[in-house]
Amino acid sequence: MGYHRITLKVNGTSEVVDVPSNMTLMQMLREKLGQTGTKNGCSAGECGACTVLWNGEPVNSCMVLAVECDGTEVVTVEGLAQDAQLDPIQEAMIEEGGVQCGFCTPGILISARALLIRNPDPSDYEIRDAMVGNLCRCTGYVRIISAVKKAARKINSQAKPAVSELVN
Ligand code: FES
Ligand code: FES
């Protein structure tokens, strides 16, 4: 089995990793970098539990080879919180009760965050469409969709300029 040395950025940190040719991005994150928030639900591109942002796009990391990630940037669920502050989608999922066993949650959070980056005010249909690759066996999705809508409201209210900025 050939090994390859790759360099990539994971959650803002540069990493140099030696990976076998057949190692997936998911395996590299979990086994080489200790980023176990990315879950292995099926290893077959079906469940979305392994979703990460790869160069800004949500992908099933079990379907990407680690060697393909040389020179690229990956964000996992561990990279969502900033400065010990949860991301609005994380807060909203807790507040709306969108988490039960939690196995699907990292992938759901990443897919939802990716949606809100490209569409800060999604409709119910757009939310359902964006989450179509993320399976959840527990929640029935209603609370997850509520959480995405609440996160959108939080993000949009944060983005608004303060009244003092409007006046001056
Ligand atoms: S573990 Fe990757 S899609 Fe299920
Ligand atoms: S919360 Fe259990 S699979 Fe989604």
Side-chain angles (χ1 to χ4, degrees):
M1 176 69 61
Y3 271 74
H4 308 268
R5 177 157 294 183
I6 65 168
T7 304
L8 75 164
K9 224 175 227 188
V10 178
N11 297 329
T13 300
S14 289
E15 305 279 3
V16 180
V17 197
D18 292 323
V19 293
S21 308
N22 64 349
M23 179 171 262
T24 66
L25 171 57
M26 177 186 72
Q27 290 169 325
M28 180 185 71
L29 290 168
R30 292 179 57 82
E31 297 167 21
K32 295 272 186 180
L33 298 175
Q35 304 281 331
T36 54
T38 300
K39 300 300 182 208
N40 180 8
C42 67
S43 285
E46 300 287 347
C47 74
C50 66
T51 306
V52 300
L53 292 183
W54 186 31
N55 284 341
E57 293 295 326
V59 294
N60 290 329
S61 60
C62 68
M63 293 283 100
V64 176
L65 286 173
V67 290
E68 294 180 89
C69 298
D70 191 27
T72 68
E73 189 158 350
V74 174
V75 176
T76 71
V77 69
E78 289 93 341
L80 286 182
Q82 298 289 325
D83 301 325
Q85 176 70 42
L86 291 179
D87 186 89
I89 187 61
Q90 293 173 302
E91 290 179 348
M93 281 282 277
I94 295 167
E95 290 163 6
E96 293 297 302
V99 181
Q100 287 188 25
C101 82
F103 200 82
C104 69
T105 306
I108 297 262
L109 289 169
I110 292 287
S111 291
R113 200 62 184 90
L115 168 66
L116 294 173
I117 290 168
R118 66 177 185 273
N119 179 357
D121 189 20
S123 66
D124 281 25
Y125 175 82
E126 288 167 328
I127 295 170
R128 287 174 186 273
D129 190 49
M131 315 301 286
V132 74
N134 294 91
L135 304 184
C136 176
R137 289 170 177 260
C138 307
T139 66
Y141 302 101
V142 172
R143 289 169 183 266
I144 292 171
I145 291 164
S146 299
V148 178
K149 289 162 79 171
K150 185 167 194 178
R153 291 196 295 276
K154 283 173 182 269
I155 291 165
N156 290 330
S157 68
Q158 285 172 359
K160 278 186 189 145
V163 173
S164 57
E165 289 171 352
L166 292 173
V167 174
N168 292 329

